């Protein structure tokens, strides 16, 4: 019995890890970390990524948060990627390289600039846009049939 539970647990991890490992957000994160000059300065050349990816990706809600290890010639770090799914496409909302030394490297802005993400930044001073919806009627008349509930 214990052997069966151990085997099922290992199989679940392998299936789950490989599914997350091939997630579009993980692929985008690995590509950005490998090509980003600041990440290469921090980790060194020849960056390799672990096969083990932990976290969650909810296709129904369209929210994902995952992490995996990256190792270069100079250092190792945890790569954290979060994203949101709009329509059929996943978009990165957070990409950070977190080495054990504690200095955190955010690659979110560089990735957004390179990918040409067109999400407008929040402007707290922006004026609301006008709506083209028709105004509500000035008077509403409700006619009820005679004899309400319980009347005989």
């Amino acid at each position: 019995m214990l052997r069966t539970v151990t085997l099922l647990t290992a199989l679940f991890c392998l299936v789950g890890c490989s599914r997350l490992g091939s997630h579009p957000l993980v692929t985008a994160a690995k590509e950005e970390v490998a090509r980003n000059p600041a990440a290469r300065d921090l980790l060194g050349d020849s960056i390799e990524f672990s096969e083990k990816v932990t976290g969650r990706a909810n296709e129904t809600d369209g929210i994902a948060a995952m992490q995996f290890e990256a190792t270069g010639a100079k250092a190792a770090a945890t790569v954290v990627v979060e994203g949101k799914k709009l329509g059929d496409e996943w978009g990165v909302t957070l990409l950070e390289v977190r080495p054990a030394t504690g200095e955190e490297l955010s690659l979110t802005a560089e990735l957004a600039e390179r990918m040409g993400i067109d999400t407008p930044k929040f402007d707290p001073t922006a004026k609301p846009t006008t709506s083209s919806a028709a105004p509500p009627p000035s008077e509403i008349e409700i006619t009820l049939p005679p004899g309400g509930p319980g009347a005989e």
Side-chain angles (χ1 to χ4, degrees), residues 1-151:
M1 175 76 172
L2 180 60
R3 191 176 286 174
T4 304
V5 170
T6 304
L7 179 63
L8 288 175
T9 303
L11 182 62
F12 177 74
C13 180
L14 288 175
V15 170
C17 292
S18 68
R19 183 177 66 86
L20 289 177
S22 61
H23 193 278
L25 291 178
V26 172
T27 302
K30 287 179 179 181
E31 288 173 0
E32 183 62 23
V33 170
R35 66 154 294 287
N36 188 285
R40 286 198 318 262
D41 284 346
L42 179 67
L43 300 175
D45 292 328
S46 314
I47 299 173
E48 294 186 14
F49 303 100
S50 69
E51 295 292 322
K52 182 181 176 187
V53 177
T54 59
R56 61 181 176 76
N58 189 323
E59 293 288 329
T60 304
D61 293 338
I63 299 172
M66 294 164 279
Q67 62 185 30
F68 54 92
E69 298 300 315
T71 306
K74 293 181 187 176
T78 301
V79 177
V80 178
V81 61
E82 296 178 4
K84 181 89 174 125
K85 187 176 185 182
L86 298 172
D88 291 334
E89 301 219 7
W90 283 94
V92 175
T93 57
L94 174 86
L95 178 56
E96 292 179 346
V97 179
R98 299 177 181 172
T101 59
E103 59 184 89
E104 199 171 273
L105 175 63
S106 177
L107 304 179
T108 309
E110 287 95 346
L111 179 62
E113 185 177 314
R114 187 173 64 81
M115 299 291 288
I117 297 175
D118 59 357
T119 305
K121 291 187 177 185
F122 176 71
D123 181 5
T125 61
K127 302 285 185 227
T129 59
T130 58
S131 174
S132 62
S138 59
E139 291 185 28
I140 299 175
E141 183 178 322
I142 299 175
T143 306
L144 298 175

